[in-house]
Amino acid sequence: GILVGGGPAPGINGVIGAAAIEAINNGLRVLGIYDGFSHLAGGDFDPVVHTRELLIKDLSRIHFDGGSILRTSRTSLLNQTKLKSSTVVEADAEKTARVHERLRSLGVTHLLTIGGDDTALSARFVAECSGGRIRVVHVPKTIDNDLPLPGDIPTFGFSTARHVGATIVADLMEDSRTTQRWYVVVTMGRNAGFLALGIGKAAGATLTLIPEEFPDSTTVHDIADIIEGAMLKRRTMGRHDGVAVLAEGLAYKLGDREELSRLLRKEVPVDAAGHPRLSEVPLAQLLKDELQQRFTARGDTVTVVGHVLGYELRCAHPKTSDLGYTRDLGHGGVRLLLDSTMDLPPGVMVTMQNGNLVPV
């Protein structure tokens, strides 16, 4: 069985294709499971509708395509309990048992999951529930590059997302220079700034800001100070243009509820732990408004454009590095599944280190 969880990332089809081909060549029948754990864990599971047999003739060229032929969903098998100072993550026993039973009814003896940290942990829960009856290997995926892989090993999809993002930012830099305006570009990267930093560095953006550089309870005013400083420095050099790249995770450093409520003109709701719910904070728009107001207050004018760079990156056609990398991961994942000498429970994550297949 093969399933995909979490957000899309360039190269998913490369993993699916290589894994299925290797499994078929080793005598296994391969089932693709649609929409991750969604139907397996839900009440609407229909094997005819929600699975498909994967055949080599249908898979040999899918690695060139973006997206996922099995689609994806964010359904996980996690049960999260919010405490005052932390979040406790446990398996949702009912969902996990349901998934395990349905996999067994399908005849699945080996499971390859593709996804981020929630999908990885869900896969572990399935492996534990099966007691070794289902061998499980996980392929790490996220354009954010924020999974704990060894050393400088990237998650697949990151390289392509950086390439596509840097190309877009380079075009915005040219528009900025031509029209004498500033862009505030917010990229994906909820918990880490790798993608923003990679894009900003590759494109040579005027400045790049990532959450790792800021303390908790940062304010919009603090971030605007830094961008405004860059704008004023550029003006001393005769430049009225620039592009600032920001990771969206900066919004999760904003801890001043009064400031956010004033800027958003509404009360900011809080989560179970009492922290502001920031998933809907329009960071680019807030900074654009703040910067323009500052220049207006000095009797000056500036044009600032807020741009959110995200969904354009996730289903892009994978570039050469991810084309090869994902095929290695899919092929390697099945090699681990079929290696009877390896004790997998509660499952392993597949990595390529110095060209070698290494389970983690």
Side-chain angles (χ1 to χ4, degrees), residues 18 23 27 33 138 141 144 148 153 163 214 220 230 245 247 256-257 269 278 285 311 348 352 360:
I33 300 166
H138 179 73
K141 160 204 64 72
D144 293 349
I153 301 170
H163 174 96
F214 290 82
V220 172
V245 177
D256 189 331
R257 279 190 68 201
L278 302 173
Q285 184 66 41
Y311 295 114
V348 296
M352 300 301 299
V360 173

Side-chain angles (χ1 to χ4, degrees), residues 79-339:
N79 186 5
Q80 301 191 30
T81 303
K82 293 280 187 180
L83 301 177
K84 284 188 177 181
S85 59
S86 63
T87 301
V88 176
V89 181
E90 300 174 322
D92 185 313
E94 183 178 342
K95 283 185 178 179
T96 302
R98 188 179 300 136
V99 169
H100 173 244
E101 183 55 39
R102 285 172 173 169
L103 288 172
R104 293 197 66 190
S105 71
L106 291 170
V108 172
T109 54
H110 303 75
L111 178 66
L112 187 81
T113 59
I114 305 167
D117 49 1
D118 284 355
T119 306
L121 191 51
S122 296
R124 172 185 152 188
F125 294 153
V126 172
E128 290 174 336
C129 182
S130 77
R133 291 183 293 272
I134 299 176
R135 291 173 66 85
V136 180
V137 166
H138 179 73
V139 180
K141 160 204 64 72
T142 169
I143 64 171
D144 293 349
N145 196 34
D146 61 352
L147 292 180
L149 298 180
D152 294 325
I153 301 170
T155 53
F156 85 77
F158 170 74
S159 178
T160 296
R162 178 180 57 189
H163 174 96
V164 175
T167 301
I168 294 172
V169 168
D171 291 341
L172 292 177
M173 288 166 63
E174 187 58 37
D175 186 86
S176 169
R177 185 187 66 82
T178 301
T179 60
Q180 297 288 279
R181 64 176 64 180
W182 269 78
Y183 280 92
V184 173
V185 180
V186 176
T187 72
M188 285 187 167
R190 190 171 295 261
N191 298 311
F194 292 110
L195 184 59
L197 187 59
I199 289 172
K201 190 192 321 186
T206 315
L207 77 160
T208 302
L209 304 180
I210 60 176
E212 290 87 342
E213 297 180 293
F214 290 82
D216 291 336
S217 297
T218 295
T219 65
V220 172
H221 187 276
D222 296 331
I223 300 171
D225 280 348
I226 296 173
I227 302 174
E228 183 187 24
M231 297 169 80
L232 295 174
K233 289 176 185 177
R234 295 274 280 182
R235 288 199 170 194
T236 66
M237 297 183 286
R239 297 290 297 271
H240 290 253
D241 61 290
V243 175
V245 177
L246 286 69
E248 66 177 350
L250 278 169
Y252 291 86
K253 294 287 188 174
L254 301 178
D256 189 331
R257 279 190 68 201
E258 290 186 6
E259 182 198 42
L260 285 174
S261 297
R262 174 176 59 81
L263 294 173
L264 295 172
R265 297 177 182 174
K266 64 179 182 180
E267 185 70 17
V268 178
V270 297
D271 61 21
H275 302 301
R277 293 179 57 188
L278 302 173
S279 57
E280 301 300 322
V281 171
L283 184 60
Q285 184 66 41
L286 291 178
L287 289 167
K288 168 191 171 178
D289 293 344
E290 176 70 17
L291 291 166
Q292 290 189 156
Q293 289 170 13
R294 292 184 181 197
F295 277 80
T296 299
R298 290 195 295 266
D300 200 349
T301 58
V302 65
T303 300
V304 181
V305 178
H307 184 85
V308 178
L309 178 60
Y311 295 114
E312 303 95 321
L313 312 181
R314 303 196 305 172
C315 285
H317 294 285
K319 305 306 176 187
T320 306
S321 58
D322 275 326
L323 282 172
Y325 184 28
T326 54
R327 302 198 85 190
D328 284 342
L329 291 171
H331 178 270
V334 172
R335 283 181 54 196
L336 292 177
L337 283 172
L338 297 178
D339 186 351

